Amino acid sequence: MKNPNLYYIYSKSAAQRIFDAEVKKVQIFHNCILVVFNKGQGLKPKFVAKRVFKAHFAEYRKASARQVFVSYKPIYGYFRAPSSNLQESYRIELFPRHLKCSCADWRTQEEIGIKSPMCKHAYAVLDYIGNTSLADYIERRGCEFVDHQRQTEGTDIYLQEVHQEKMTYDY
């Protein structure tokens, strides 16, 4: 029986971006993915390691994050980022071992069981606070964090753990 959740990562659109070609279908096997291309492109079906799709899943979101404007709300202790169509904005919160976003991509990843969901908005926040990856953030959490909008005022904001998991900013 097919697991529709797997097609969120191993999708036709992901295969099209990876191979820069029109894809007819993607079939998931235990250890690999079969990618079948549309006729007329001169491409034969290929078996691809799942790690290729998983790496693309993250890299695609990281690349998309470069287009996301992030703002920090010090009064509330969270970040905001607009949707692609600028019709709404998403709330991004920092926790000691993960970030949480209110967007549909993050929620879908959580629902299908991805251990540490990361959407483009979460990657944009990581970049904003000077981290290159979630692993970098986890390793460096608790280190000095300079709010770029307040840097000119000479106000440094430090991460402090409060309650069980949630981080807030005191300054």
Side-chain angles (χ1 to χ4, degrees):
M1 186 162 124
K2 292 181 181 179
N3 180 348
N5 295 337
L6 295 176
Y7 286 94
Y8 194 71
I9 297 171
Y10 311 114
S11 66
K12 276 178 51 176
S13 57
Q16 289 177 170
R17 288 189 299 268
I18 292 168
F19 293 104
D20 193 26
E22 292 295 318
V23 173
K24 182 176 181 179
K25 77 173 188 173
V26 171
Q27 189 171 353
I28 302 170
F29 292 95
H30 180 68
N31 292 324
C32 62
I33 309 299
L34 173 64
V35 178
V36 179
F37 300 96
N38 286 344
K39 291 182 180 182
Q41 299 181 96
L43 298 170
K44 294 181 180 180
K46 297 182 184 211
F47 285 98
V48 183
K50 286 184 173 181
R51 64 178 151 68
V52 171
F53 277 80
K54 288 178 181 177
H56 171 74
F57 190 79
E59 291 305 317
Y60 181 69
R61 281 153 180 77
K62 286 180 184 179
S64 299
R66 294 183 197 114
Q67 307 300 318
V68 175
F69 174 77
V70 172
S71 62
Y72 176 60
K73 305 295 181 193
I75 295 171
Y76 304 108
Y78 60 81
F79 295 85
R80 297 290 288 169
S83 63
S84 298
N85 63 12
L86 305 176
Q87 297 299 311
E88 57 186 313
S89 69
Y90 304 113
R91 177 181 176 146
I92 305 98
E93 298 177 86
L94 297 175
F95 295 87
R97 302 194 62 76
H98 69 281
L99 282 73
K100 183 177 182 178
C101 182
S102 61
C103 76
D105 182 34
W106 192 95
R107 286 192 317 271
T108 300
Q109 291 179 47
E110 181 182 47
E111 288 169 7
I112 66 172
I114 293 178
K115 185 178 177 181
S116 298
M118 288 293 293
C119 61
K120 66 183 178 183
H121 311 105
Y123 280 117
V125 167
L126 286 180
D127 183 58
Y128 182 86
I129 63 174
N131 292 270
T132 57
S133 67
L134 181 60
D136 182 41
Y137 163 74
I138 291 169
E139 181 180 312
R140 293 175 56 190
R141 72 181 170 93
C143 296
E144 182 177 340
F145 162 71
V146 178
D147 180 356
H148 301 293
Q149 293 174 336
R150 292 180 169 264
Q151 189 172 11
T152 55
E153 299 172 15
T155 304
D156 292 341
I157 299 176
Y158 297 88
L159 294 175
Q160 294 185 354
E161 290 188 30
V162 294
H163 302 4
Q164 299 170 9
E165 274 198 359
K166 188 168 180 176
M167 290 186 165
T168 61
Y169 303 91
D170 290 334
Y171 54 96

Tab-separated table of all heavy atoms in Angstrom, residues 9 13-15 17-18 51-61:
chain	number	residue	atom	x	y	z
A	9	ILE	N	8.026	14.270	0.232
A	9	ILE	CA	9.476	14.412	0.050
A	9	ILE	C	9.895	13.910	-1.327
A	9	ILE	O	10.658	14.546	-2.032
A	9	ILE	CB	10.233	13.643	1.151
A	9	ILE	CG1	9.907	14.227	2.518
A	9	ILE	CG2	11.745	13.677	0.899
A	9	ILE	CD1	10.430	13.420	3.679
A	13	SER	N	7.510	16.945	-8.534
A	13	SER	CA	8.076	18.292	-8.669
A	13	SER	C	9.511	18.345	-8.148
A	13	SER	O	10.360	19.028	-8.723
A	13	SER	CB	7.193	19.329	-7.971
A	13	SER	OG	7.002	19.016	-6.623
A	14	ALA	N	9.810	17.605	-7.080
A	14	ALA	CA	11.189	17.539	-6.588
A	14	ALA	C	12.085	16.875	-7.628
A	14	ALA	O	13.191	17.363	-7.909
A	14	ALA	CB	11.255	16.787	-5.271
A	15	ALA	N	11.617	15.789	-8.220
A	15	ALA	CA	12.407	15.100	-9.250
A	15	ALA	C	12.656	16.021	-10.444
A	15	ALA	O	13.750	16.043	-11.013
A	15	ALA	CB	11.696	13.825	-9.689
A	17	ARG	N	12.889	19.269	-10.387
A	17	ARG	CA	13.922	20.249	-10.014
A	17	ARG	C	15.300	19.607	-9.972
A	17	ARG	O	16.286	20.204	-10.405
A	17	ARG	CB	13.587	20.874	-8.655
A	17	ARG	CG	12.410	21.846	-8.685
A	17	ARG	CD	12.249	22.592	-7.378
A	17	ARG	NE	12.007	21.726	-6.247
A	17	ARG	CZ	10.807	21.370	-5.789
A	17	ARG	NH1	9.720	21.821	-6.383
A	17	ARG	NH2	10.681	20.588	-4.745
A	18	ILE	N	15.393	18.387	-9.447
A	18	ILE	CA	16.684	17.694	-9.336
A	18	ILE	C	17.270	17.419	-10.722
A	18	ILE	O	18.458	17.652	-10.956
A	18	ILE	CB	16.530	16.374	-8.540
A	18	ILE	CG1	16.211	16.677	-7.075
A	18	ILE	CG2	17.790	15.512	-8.664
A	18	ILE	CD1	15.747	15.466	-6.267
A	51	ARG	N	18.488	9.549	-0.272
A	51	ARG	CA	19.242	10.661	0.319
A	51	ARG	C	19.334	11.864	-0.630
A	51	ARG	O	19.416	12.997	-0.183
A	51	ARG	CB	20.615	10.211	0.792
A	51	ARG	CG	21.533	9.744	-0.275
A	51	ARG	CD	22.908	9.349	0.275
A	51	ARG	NE	23.545	8.339	-0.500
A	51	ARG	CZ	24.010	8.500	-1.740
A	51	ARG	NH1	23.879	9.656	-2.324
A	51	ARG	NH2	24.589	7.514	-2.386
A	52	VAL	N	19.280	11.596	-1.951
A	52	VAL	CA	19.314	12.684	-2.929
A	52	VAL	C	18.062	13.546	-2.773
A	52	VAL	O	18.135	14.775	-2.752
A	52	VAL	CB	19.431	12.133	-4.371
A	52	VAL	CG1	19.256	13.237	-5.404
A	52	VAL	CG2	20.756	11.408	-4.559
A	53	PHE	N	16.912	12.904	-2.637
A	53	PHE	CA	15.659	13.641	-2.453
A	53	PHE	C	15.633	14.347	-1.098
A	53	PHE	O	15.168	15.476	-0.992
A	53	PHE	CB	14.452	12.702	-2.584
A	53	PHE	CG	14.030	12.452	-3.997
A	53	PHE	CD1	14.704	11.531	-4.780
A	53	PHE	CD2	12.965	13.141	-4.548
A	53	PHE	CE1	14.326	11.296	-6.086
A	53	PHE	CE2	12.567	12.920	-5.855
A	53	PHE	CZ	13.247	11.989	-6.636
A	54	LYS	N	16.114	13.672	-0.054
A	54	LYS	CA	16.122	14.288	1.278
A	54	LYS	C	17.020	15.525	1.309
A	54	LYS	O	16.659	16.544	1.895
A	54	LYS	CB	16.562	13.274	2.327
A	54	LYS	CG	15.519	12.211	2.594
A	54	LYS	CD	16.013	11.185	3.598
A	54	LYS	CE	14.976	10.118	3.848
A	54	LYS	NZ	15.454	9.075	4.763
A	55	ALA	N	18.185	15.431	0.666
A	55	ALA	CA	19.087	16.585	0.607
A	55	ALA	C	18.433	17.720	-0.178
A	55	ALA	O	18.497	18.885	0.219
A	55	ALA	CB	20.416	16.186	-0.023
A	56	HIS	N	17.775	17.371	-1.281
A	56	HIS	CA	17.086	18.392	-2.081
A	56	HIS	C	15.962	19.043	-1.281
A	56	HIS	O	15.750	20.251	-1.376
A	56	HIS	CB	16.521	17.772	-3.367
A	56	HIS	CG	15.629	18.710	-4.111
A	56	HIS	ND1	16.108	19.780	-4.828
A	56	HIS	CD2	14.283	18.772	-4.213
A	56	HIS	CE1	15.102	20.451	-5.348
A	56	HIS	NE2	13.975	19.854	-4.985
A	57	PHE	N	15.245	18.254	-0.508
A	57	PHE	CA	14.135	18.754	0.313
A	57	PHE	C	14.620	19.909	1.199
A	57	PHE	O	13.990	20.962	1.282
A	57	PHE	CB	13.583	17.609	1.168
A	57	PHE	CG	12.303	17.907	1.881
A	57	PHE	CD1	11.096	17.870	1.210
A	57	PHE	CD2	12.295	18.193	3.237
A	57	PHE	CE1	9.891	18.128	1.867
A	57	PHE	CE2	11.107	18.451	3.903
A	57	PHE	CZ	9.901	18.421	3.211
A	58	ALA	N	15.762	19.713	1.857
A	58	ALA	CA	16.321	20.751	2.724
A	58	ALA	C	16.924	21.894	1.915
A	58	ALA	O	16.674	23.069	2.210
A	58	ALA	CB	17.367	20.152	3.653
A	59	GLU	N	17.709	21.574	0.908
A	59	GLU	CA	18.385	22.610	0.118
A	59	GLU	C	17.400	23.522	-0.613
A	59	GLU	O	17.630	24.724	-0.736
A	59	GLU	CB	19.370	21.987	-0.869
A	59	GLU	CG	20.577	21.357	-0.199
A	59	GLU	CD	21.343	22.315	0.713
A	59	GLU	OE1	21.557	23.492	0.331
A	59	GLU	OE2	21.697	21.892	1.828
A	60	TYR	N	16.305	22.958	-1.082
A	60	TYR	CA	15.282	23.761	-1.761
A	60	TYR	C	14.691	24.796	-0.804
A	60	TYR	O	14.492	25.951	-1.162
A	60	TYR	CB	14.199	22.836	-2.322
A	60	TYR	CG	13.099	23.555	-3.056
A	60	TYR	CD1	13.347	24.173	-4.272
A	60	TYR	CD2	11.812	23.611	-2.537
A	60	TYR	CE1	12.339	24.835	-4.964
A	60	TYR	CE2	10.796	24.264	-3.227
A	60	TYR	CZ	11.062	24.874	-4.427
A	60	TYR	OH	10.062	25.522	-5.099
A	61	ARG	N	14.449	24.399	0.429
A	61	ARG	CA	13.909	25.323	1.423
A	61	ARG	C	14.944	26.362	1.843
A	61	ARG	O	14.632	27.525	2.051
A	61	ARG	CB	13.359	24.545	2.616
A	61	ARG	CG	11.993	23.966	2.291
A	61	ARG	CD	11.631	22.719	3.067
A	61	ARG	NE	10.302	22.261	2.675
A	61	ARG	CZ	10.053	21.602	1.541
A	61	ARG	NH1	11.013	21.320	0.706
A	61	ARG	NH2	8.808	21.230	1.256
